Amino acid sequence: MTYKIDPDVLHKVAKQVVGLPVDEILSRTVELLADEYPDLISPTPGRWVGSRAGGILGKVRFLYFSAREYIVIFGSPTGTQGFSGRYQRVEVHKFLLAGRIDSYDIESDDTTATTLLPGEHACMEKGQARGLTIHPGSWHLEYGRGAVVTTLPFAMVDTLLVSLEVESVRRSAVEFARLIGRRRRR
């Protein structure tokens, strides 16, 4: 199965922005990705959307979405923690742009946490599940590949049913539609 996005390119982009002020990190990341993937990523991304999934509350900006791949920027100025989700058909890559993420395997005998620092890359393989602490001021580029549509219930149900936040779900749907429409026009 071939994919349009290369995790090595995303890692290169993440390493290029480390150390910049957060506002610059976020805008420069989008700019660099649009340069690398001009047919997939717009240099003028959509709006930030509130997201709560697995108890993790933050802001997400959707950069690319297709049936087999997605790219978002996610983060929180105040920090958050919760459950990563378990995706049987999708592997999820995180490229830390700023801050720190601590995670642990919730099912193994390993009792230690793994720390992700700016410029580093971590991959959660299909079927894995992790506990996460996203420290204040942490922002990451997230890339998923596989049957992306299978991630949507986890991404939306917590926001809708626990937080009762219909507007964020509506805004997310608008952003998905915008990205799919952009792909179809090309």
Side-chain angles (χ1 to χ4, degrees), residues 8 18-19 32 36 82 89 99 114 165:
D8 291 335
V18 169
L32 290 168
E36 291 284 349
R89 295 184 175 91
T114 302
E165 187 22 33

Side-chain angles (χ1 to χ4, degrees), residues 140-171:
H140 68 271
L141 191 60
E142 182 172 301
Y143 167 60
R145 64 166 37 171
V148 170
V149 72
T150 65
T151 68
L152 295 179
F154 179 77
M156 300 292 193
V157 168
D158 202 356
T159 300
L160 185 60
L161 298 181
V162 175
S163 299
L164 303 176
E165 187 22 33
V166 175
E167 183 59 18
S168 290
V169 172
R170 186 194 69 75
R171 288 179 183 184

Side-chain angles (χ1 to χ4, degrees), residues 83-87 104-107 124-131:
F83 174 57
S84 67
R86 180 189 316 274
Y87 306 110
Y104 61 94
D105 185 323
I106 63 172
E107 298 171 329
M124 190 171 72
E125 299 295 333
K126 294 175 184 177
Q128 285 186 322
R130 302 190 67 78

Side-chain angles (χ1 to χ4, degrees), residues 125-138:
E125 299 295 333
K126 294 175 184 177
Q128 285 186 322
R130 302 190 67 78
L132 298 172
T133 297
I134 299 174
H135 292 262
S138 295

